[in-house]
Amino acid sequence: VCSSDLVSKDEVGHRLDYVLPFGIDNFIDKMEEYVPDSKESLENYFKLAEECNNALKYILSTKGVPNDEVMKNKFESFMKVSTYSHSEVMDMLGIPLHAQEILNTYWINFGSSETEISFVQYASQMYEYIKNGIHVLRNGNYELLYALLDEFMKNGGAVRFNTCVKKLIVEKGKVRGVTLLNDSNIASKHVLFNGSLHDLYGKLVSKADLPIRAVQRCNQKRFGLRRFTVQLGLNRTIDELGIHNYSYYIYDSLDSDLELSKMNSLSINSAYCRCLNVIDNGVSPDGTTLLELNTYFSGSVFEEEMTDGNYNKLKNKIASDLIKLFEDKMKLKIKPYIEEINVITPADYYMMNGNYVDGYKLIGFDNMLYRYFNISNEKYIKGLYNCGSFGIFGGTMDGLFMSGEVMGELTIMDMAGE
């Protein structure tokens, strides 16, 4: 993939349209075109981002218990900026304000604004993203899921589909298995839970076995954004539609704090959109295009407005508003060419995975770095690990798979030590 597209408007309402290429040098050169005299500060930004990325990898390799001398000698700059927000460090680096606004483009993927999210988290993932670009599976993320599932079963793993767990079996602070809805038990000294800690400790662990520290930890966390998705099958090619980039970030302004505050209502101001055909036109039949539009809500505004009587009307209105936003901001037409449409509301996501939200916010004392250092400390029940969108990496797709990989490795290490 060659680039992403950022579309917004300036303070007086003039349209802003920036094409952001992949590759660190390409990105910096393009930014210098958009914001003259920003090159040196951006070079320093990505140099620091690379160090933060390497430091996080090292901390993770130590299970959150790094060597102090290694941290001081190899990651001194990382240590200096580890407690600051993305916005604060950009100021320290002397990055021009408009360049900062463009750098903040990807905040919507994390669900946290520039002043909320830590520099370490945003910059380290920004480094990976810009350096390596996007890799997309032709048959979607389920293609990777099926590949992992096949390999798991080839190696003796057993999978129980449509099997719901209603209780975690705990004895003296150690996990001993799970109880299913039919009251049968599966014994195990190791359990990986993919879901929110609120569901884990509020529904699956009995009060008698509930560690008070786990309850306190839940109370420190803040839920992230609610996602609303419209998937479209269009009977025109990307060239006929005028779609030339894989991803589009659409904002009413480049002030991420302001844009985040607008998500407290059901008005549609921001969107993250992607088109798979830009990467591989073979993902849909000749002459067609697959387009996905995403917008987000904060708090429980969607659930508060939703009732049994107005659900379909509400869903259709938001979907229509989202399509109109894309058309207006991109100055192109897609509505006349819709052949297939699939709408996924926060309520649909709840039915799929039991949660309205994409995970916990990685902010304040619950940022990614804090979670890294607490991998070992947060084992309130021995043998139990939490993964998925509510794990240490947050709710991005990369974060989902990384958390599963890391927690799986830690579980194997625990098993080897028994």
Side-chain angles (χ1 to χ4, degrees):
V1 182
C2 60
S3 60
S4 296
D5 202 354
L6 166 63
V7 178
S8 185
K9 64 183 181 183
D10 63 17
E11 294 177 352
V12 295
H14 294 151
R15 175 184 168 87
L16 299 172
D17 192 347
Y18 301 112
V19 176
L20 307 177
F22 292 107
I24 301 296
D25 292 338
N26 293 335
F27 185 91
I28 293 175
D29 289 342
K30 180 59 69 173
M31 287 287 286
E32 177 69 13
E33 291 181 23
Y34 294 141
V35 188
D37 299 322
S38 62
K39 185 172 184 177
E40 183 178 354
S41 61
L42 290 173
E43 288 174 340
N44 292 333
Y45 175 93
F46 281 103
K47 181 179 179 180
L48 180 56
E50 181 180 15
E51 181 175 322
C52 290
N53 186 263
N54 291 334
L56 288 177
K57 290 178 180 177
Y58 169 68
I59 295 170
L60 196 60
S61 71
T62 67
K63 296 178 65 174
V65 190
N67 182 283
D68 289 343
E69 290 303 314
V70 173
M71 295 302 296
K72 291 177 184 178
N73 295 329
K74 293 190 64 175
F75 306 115
E76 181 181 1
S77 296
F78 163 82
M79 298 286 285
K80 290 180 179 178
V81 303
S82 61
T83 61
Y84 292 98
S85 71
H86 189 238
S87 178
E88 289 172 320
V89 177
M90 286 193 297
D91 286 341
M92 295 176 192
L93 292 171
I95 300 174
L97 178 58
H98 193 44
Q100 291 188 28
E101 292 175 330
I102 299 174
L103 275 175
N104 285 323
T105 293
Y106 308 101
W107 70 267
I108 199 169
N109 297 105
F110 303 98
S112 300
S113 71
E114 66 207 72
T115 57
E116 289 182 325
I117 196 167
S118 73
F119 176 83
V120 169
Q121 180 191 352
Y122 190 98
S124 63
Q125 295 201 22
M126 178 81 162
Y127 172 78
E128 289 279 0
Y129 182 67
I130 298 300
K131 178 185 176 183
N132 299 319
I134 299 173
H135 300 272
V136 176
L137 298 168
R138 173 175 291 184
N139 296 316
N141 296 318
Y142 285 104
E143 182 176 352
L144 179 57
L145 176 62
Y146 294 144
L148 293 171
L149 183 62
D150 288 343
E151 194 66 23
F152 177 71
M153 296 177 71
K154 286 178 183 177
N155 285 275
V159 180
R160 302 190 184 205
F161 295 103
N162 299 318
T163 302
C164 187
V165 172
K166 75 173 185 179
K167 180 183 176 183
L168 196 70
I169 303 172
V170 178
E171 295 178 0
K172 297 180 180 179
K174 300 177 181 179
V175 70
R176 287 294 178 259
V178 296
T179 300
L180 307 180
L181 275 182
N182 62 8
D183 290 325
S184 64
N185 294 333
I186 299 177
S188 176
K189 295 181 180 179
H190 306 276
V191 172
L192 280 79
F193 177 73
N194 180 1
S196 75
L197 297 183
H198 285 73
D199 283 343
L200 175 62
Y201 296 117
K203 298 178 181 179
L204 300 184
V205 179
S206 66
K207 289 186 178 180
D209 298 315
L210 190 60
I212 186 62
R213 287 194 303 145
V215 177
Q216 293 169 342
R217 190 73 180 100
C218 282
N219 292 335
Q220 293 175 337
K221 293 182 175 290
R222 289 177 55 190
F223 286 110
L225 300 177
R226 272 79 162 160
R227 181 165 32 137
F228 187 105
T229 302
V230 176
Q231 298 170 328
L232 300 171
L234 307 169
N235 59 13
R236 292 290 189 276
T237 66
I238 54 176
D239 291 330
E240 291 170 330
L241 293 168
I243 297 174
H244 305 297
N245 292 301
Y246 167 73
S247 57
Y248 291 87
Y249 293 85
I250 299 174
Y251 302 121
D252 198 38
S253 76
L254 293 181
D255 185 335
S256 60
D257 287 305
L258 177 60
E259 295 307 294
L260 184 62
S261 71
K262 294 176 183 177
M263 293 178 176
N264 288 313
S265 74
L266 293 183
S267 62
I268 309 301
N269 298 285
S270 301
Y272 166 62
C273 313
R274 60 189 190 128
C275 181
L276 298 176
N277 296 76
V278 174
I279 298 176
D280 183 355
N281 207 36
V283 299
S284 66
D286 291 342
T288 67
T289 295
L290 297 180
L291 179 65
E292 180 183 281
L293 314 178
N294 296 280
T295 193
Y296 299 84
F297 304 114
S298 61
S300 56
V301 60
F302 183 85
E303 299 96 286
E304 291 169 359
E305 294 291 331
M306 179 186 69
T307 66
D308 290 339
N310 77 346
Y311 175 73
N312 287 327
K313 182 179 179 180
L314 183 66
K315 176 181 72 172
N316 293 337
K317 181 184 184 307
I318 295 174
S320 179
D321 290 346
L322 184 53
I323 292 170
K324 186 177 186 303
L325 177 74
F326 184 82
E327 289 185 320
D328 290 346
K329 293 290 187 180
M330 299 309 305
K331 297 187 180 301
L332 50 79
K333 288 293 183 182
I334 59 173
K335 193 171 183 178
Y337 312 119
I338 298 174
E339 282 197 350
E340 296 185 15
I341 183 169
N342 181 44
V343 180
I344 310 173
T345 73
D348 293 318
Y349 282 112
Y350 176 82
M351 288 188 287
M352 285 189 282
N353 59 30
N355 293 286
Y356 280 101
V357 300
D358 279 350
Y360 296 120
K361 277 180 170 285
L362 288 121
I363 60 175
F365 290 105
D366 193 31
N367 61 44
M368 181 183 290
L369 184 59
Y370 182 90
R371 295 185 191 185
Y372 268 52
F373 278 112
N374 277 274
I375 290 175
S376 299
N377 296 336
E378 290 201 347
K379 290 172 62 177
Y380 306 119
I381 298 176
K382 186 175 175 57
L384 175 64
Y385 281 103
N386 176 239
C387 63
S389 60
F390 293 88
I392 61 175
F393 298 101
T396 63
M397 185 54 62
D398 288 345
L400 297 179
F401 287 107
M402 287 169 64
S403 70
E405 178 184 8
V406 170
M407 295 309 167
E409 289 178 352
L410 294 178
T411 298
I412 292 172
M413 290 170 64
D414 287 347
M415 294 171 68
E418 292 178 348

